[in-house]
Amino acid sequence: SNVKGGVIDGYFSQLGLATAVNGANSNWNPWAPGGVQPAAIAAAVDAAKYIGPTAGGTFTRTGWDGRVSNTFGKLAGGDIAVSLGLDLRKEQFEVISPAILESGDIAGLGGGVAPMSASRQIRSMFGEVNLPILRNLEANVSARQDRYSDLAKDAQPITGKASVRWAPVNMVALRASYGTGFRAPSLSELKTPTTLGTTEQFNDLIAGADYQANALNGGNPTLTPEESKQKSLGVIFTPRKNLSMRADYFAIEVDKYITSASASALVTAARAGQTGFVTFNPDGSPNVIDQRSINAGLAKFAGFDFGLNWSDKFSFGQIGVDYTGTKMTKARLTTPDGTEDGLGKMIDDAGNTLKLIGNGGVILKYKHKINVNWAMGAWGLTLSQNYSDKYRDSNDLNGDAHYVPAYSIYDVQARYNMKFMKNNTLKLAVGVKNVFDKNPPIYINATNFFQYGFDPTLYDPLARLFYAKATLQF
């Protein structure tokens, strides 16, 4: 992927503006009627505008993977299936930044952006065994080892999963699973150059209120992978051949969660004896605080997944309904700053943006999708409802709590499948997303989305969209 950008108006060089306004020969008048300045100063201010490229970059992934599968022996329920695989890949990216953006001189473009490049090699080996213990009892066991070339610690995580499915009677099936996982820190989390800036304002015992210290920001090469444990327990109920209902409970725990701590929390920890994050001035006030990301969080999630499938044949075709929904019951993150509850909200009671949501968006208490399908011969039609529950975003200008209300978006698609020359199939589809051209609810920005007025993680800014596609299988 290759990302490029540019600005054509609305941005300026802070140094250029300061020179134009404060120069020895400047006759800039802040009280000029209507703000109209003399021609010379107006031209100098206009020359401070920045028109040109923003920071961009490239990301490349190349790889090879292979798998072999076969049966190996038998159990009472059937053949034992075994699969082994290997995955080799290389990831590399480069951030390209014009010199003037690297300096941080352009107002409104996020401060200084340093150019950088990084790469890594990843090797993965995995295996899976499916065990049909009895005709109505099946187990599955898998394991995987990865090796990351750029990690200082825990560079070869081993993960696995075990699951079992038991059908005591024909209409009921029970299933359970337990597994472990990991997320390696990204190249940007590891390799972004360290820069010196300032912390957020905080109250310090020695320096006083609204104090700001020097802050180190950027990548942290000592980061290790996040480690997870996940378990699930579910039931599938099929009272009729054309009706199936399912419910699954899941719980996920992520340790060594990559996060950052507030300046006040790091200073408090340093004064309690923890070293490595804060240096102090001779008078005891904080001097430099290392606010780069660390493996210091513990995240816990839990909830229920629901599903229902029904279909039947009528004289006018086959009708089907497919429902999938998720009800979250827990979304909690513990960091050096304390414990936050991120369920259905983006800020805490003090108005601070939750670390748990990052730039990924809110964790909704409930959401679902319903598809109503019709098919007759080669023709098909689907109507979909996408529902999002209400949630709390940032406070309004009066400081009062604001909520994004629940809303639904409807989609429709028509299909036609045509067979020709025995085994060849041509699939044609036309559709409309957001059929009623619904505008999003008012959203007050709580994180760094760079949009205002709507939530881009839940609403497509293209609004109503018409599309067509064709697929040829041969």
Side-chain angles (χ1 to χ4, degrees), residues 128-199:
E128 181 179 2
V129 180
N130 196 66
L131 303 167
I133 301 170
L134 300 171
R135 190 178 64 176
N136 64 345
L137 179 62
E138 183 178 73
N140 183 280
V141 180
S142 61
R144 180 185 181 98
Q145 183 190 46
D146 295 84
R147 182 183 182 280
Y148 283 74
S149 63
D150 58 337
L151 298 185
K153 291 179 60 179
D154 301 335
Q156 301 186 56
I158 298 176
T159 55
K161 180 182 178 181
S163 63
V164 61
R165 187 181 189 276
W166 177 45
V169 294
N170 288 337
M171 67 175 61
V172 177
L174 304 175
R175 56 188 178 186
S177 68
Y178 177 83
T180 59
F182 76 98
R183 184 189 77 85
S186 67
L187 286 171
S188 61
E189 289 173 328
L190 290 168
K191 306 291 187 178
T192 299
T194 300
T195 58
L196 182 65
T198 56
T199 68

Side-chain angles (χ1 to χ4, degrees), residues 327-394:
K327 172 69 175 178
M328 294 293 298
T329 59
K330 180 186 292 185
R332 190 172 299 158
L333 174 64
T334 301
T335 71
D337 293 319
T339 299
E340 62 181 39
D341 179 7
L343 194 58
K345 57 185 179 181
M346 304 185 78
I347 63 172
D348 60 21
D349 293 336
N352 301 309
T353 300
L354 298 178
K355 290 184 173 66
L356 192 59
I357 64 168
N359 285 329
V362 68
I363 300 172
L364 296 173
K365 291 183 178 181
Y366 175 76
K367 62 181 179 180
H368 75 236
K369 182 173 184 177
I370 299 176
N371 293 327
V372 179
N373 302 296
W374 169 83
M376 176 177 275
W379 295 93
L381 183 70
T382 298
L383 174 66
S384 302
Q385 181 203 40
N386 303 279
Y387 173 83
S388 299
D389 205 5
K390 79 169 187 176
Y391 64 94
R392 182 179 177 182
D393 52 1
S394 285

Side-chain angles (χ1 to χ4, degrees), residues 431-468:
V432 186
K433 294 184 177 181
N434 194 351
V435 174
F436 302 109
D437 202 21
K438 182 180 179 65
N439 289 324
I442 293 175
Y443 163 79
I444 301 177
N445 199 25
T447 188
N448 196 18
F449 286 149
F450 289 99
Q451 283 104 346
Y452 293 91
F454 73 96
D455 186 341
T457 66
L458 297 176
Y459 183 84
D460 187 344
L462 293 176
R464 182 163 54 199
L465 173 68
F466 297 87
Y467 67 90

